[in-house]
Amino acid sequence: MKDSTCDGQLLFSNELLQTIFNSLSAHIAILDESGTILETNAAWKNFSLANGLPEDFDFRQMNYLNVCETASGENVEESRAVAQGIRAVMHGEITEFLHDYPCHSPEGPRWFYMRVVLMHKNGPKRVIVSHEDITQLKLTQEALTENQHHLNDKNQSLKEANVALKVLLHQREQDKADMEKKFLVNVKTLIMPYIDKLKQERLNERQSTLVNIVGDHLTDIISPMVQNFSNAGVMLTPQEMQVASLVKDGKTTAEIAEILFVAEATVSFHRKNLRNKLGIRNRQANLRSFLLSMSQ
């Protein structure tokens, strides 16, 4: 690109370069070493026309730096920062200056991306200032940010709901455990003593069978509730609990009898009662394995 100045205008010796310059979507101005605008492209001019400037308005010979440095109003700090960035590029302190900024209009929000670089190092110093419309990119970023906030809020709500649900489930499990324990206590204190008394009575064969059936069915009903040691302790006698604990520890019938100072027949009797009360009397389940599973 070869240029010369004539009446303050930047002239492109190559028509193709001039065509390319005017076809770029970015709004571009070329400044001299003092910050004076030498040339603007078609996009710059069209933007100015769209924003109310007259069609014959000429930016050439306007000092871009002076405009930035003498700006007033709410954007004064930003304008002066832009002027400092352009001067830094001119003086070789930085290779490029980048800045994005809002430029809203009555029609809606707008944002631009500014880039300042040296045109070339040899010959008269020329600075290229380009402004690219990034409104759609900004709107997309804002939409993504808003969606992220929405997702974060939703995620927080789900976490809170999950915590509340866990509390409710825990309370439900606790209520269920309390209800089962209360039921077992009632069975042990209000029903089982009478069944035991009936078994000790002189019953005929039919009556004895019926009492045994009632006892067995009641055991079947309560056995699912006696699947942990907390509930099992309600239905088991103290010595049955001792035997259960020793069985769980892997002790044999003989070892348990020696530890508890009872006959092996007594331990066997308690082991049988344990299987009955735990609902595994007719199953091939190993008593120790079953007791260990209850602990888990």
Side-chain angles (χ1 to χ4, degrees):
M1 182 181 292
K2 179 180 178 182
D3 65 90
S4 61
T5 55
C6 179
D7 297 330
Q9 298 182 13
L10 181 70
L11 302 178
F12 290 91
S13 60
N14 189 310
E15 184 177 350
L16 176 60
L17 292 178
Q18 181 73 48
T19 301
I20 294 173
F21 181 60
N22 285 321
S23 67
L24 297 175
S25 61
H27 312 153
I28 301 175
I30 300 179
L31 317 181
D32 66 11
E33 65 277 1
S34 68
T36 299
I37 298 176
L38 300 178
E39 184 62 282
T40 58
N41 69 345
W44 183 293
K45 296 169 187 174
N46 292 336
F47 180 78
S48 302
L49 184 63
N51 283 272
L53 290 178
E55 189 173 354
D56 59 350
F57 189 87
D58 193 353
F59 284 91
R60 290 175 295 187
Q61 299 308 310
M62 179 183 294
N63 193 289
Y64 193 92
L65 284 175
N66 288 342
V67 172
C68 293
E69 290 171 336
T70 59
S72 59
E74 60 181 12
N75 296 323
V76 59
E77 295 299 328
E78 188 171 47
S79 297
R80 290 177 182 174
V82 168
Q84 290 176 359
I86 294 174
R87 289 192 184 280
V89 172
M90 285 180 172
H91 298 155
E93 297 171 4
I94 57 176
T95 58
E96 66 176 354
F97 172 70
L98 306 175
H99 180 65
D100 61 85
Y101 60 94
C103 183
H104 304 320
S105 70
E107 287 75 27
R110 293 182 308 193
W111 287 269
F112 286 88
Y113 173 78
M114 178 183 187
R115 183 170 184 261
V116 181
V117 295
L118 283 175
M119 189 171 177
H120 53 68
K121 295 182 180 179
N122 300 322
K125 186 173 292 184
R126 298 292 182 262
V127 177
I128 301 176
V129 179
S130 64
H131 300 259
E132 187 74 58
D133 189 338
I134 58 170
T135 301
Q136 290 304 316
L137 176 61
K138 280 287 186 179
L139 291 175
T140 300
Q141 288 177 338
E142 287 189 349
L144 289 173
T145 300
E146 184 177 351
N147 286 339
Q148 186 62 50
H149 290 325
H150 177 71
L151 288 174
N152 289 341
D153 291 342
K154 199 167 186 179
N155 186 47
Q156 183 61 33
S157 297
L158 288 174
K159 285 182 179 179
E160 292 172 359
N162 189 41
V163 170
L165 182 59
K166 285 182 178 179
V167 171
L168 289 174
L169 288 175
H170 177 74
Q171 185 60 49
R172 180 180 178 278
E173 291 298 321
Q174 186 61 48
D175 291 343
K176 179 184 176 184
D178 292 343
M179 182 179 66
E180 288 180 351
K181 186 166 291 187
K182 184 176 180 180
F183 178 77
L184 290 173
V185 169
N186 288 336
V187 169
K188 180 178 181 181
T189 58
L190 302 178
I191 300 176
M192 295 304 295
Y194 295 99
I195 291 179
D196 291 338
K197 285 183 179 181
L198 285 173
K199 289 181 178 180
Q200 294 171 9
E201 295 292 329
R202 294 181 178 179
L203 303 176
N204 59 40
E205 183 177 352
R206 182 172 180 276
Q207 291 171 334
S208 178
T209 299
L210 291 175
V211 171
N212 288 332
I213 290 174
V214 171
D216 291 343
H217 286 181
L218 186 59
T219 299
D220 290 338
I221 292 172
I222 65 174
S223 61
M225 302 179 191
V226 192
Q227 298 303 306
N228 60 70
F229 278 109
S230 175
N231 283 350
V234 175
M235 297 304 298
L236 303 182
T237 65
Q239 195 159 55
E240 286 171 346
M241 284 296 293
Q242 287 180 313
V243 171
S245 179
L246 292 170
V247 168
K248 186 165 69 73
D249 291 340
K251 304 298 182 182
T252 64
T253 297
E255 290 171 333
I256 295 172
E258 184 177 352
I259 292 171
L260 298 180
F261 300 102
V262 296
E264 290 187 28
T266 301
V267 175
S268 298
F269 173 78
H270 289 317
R271 290 178 68 111
K272 180 180 178 182
N273 282 344
L274 283 171
R275 296 185 68 87
N276 287 338
K277 291 182 179 180
L278 297 177
I280 59 172
R281 63 184 182 279
N282 295 322
R283 291 159 53 183
Q284 296 299 317
N286 178 274
L287 180 58
R288 179 170 184 263
S289 299
F290 189 83
L291 290 171
L292 288 172
S293 70
M294 287 173 60
S295 301
Q296 297 171 357

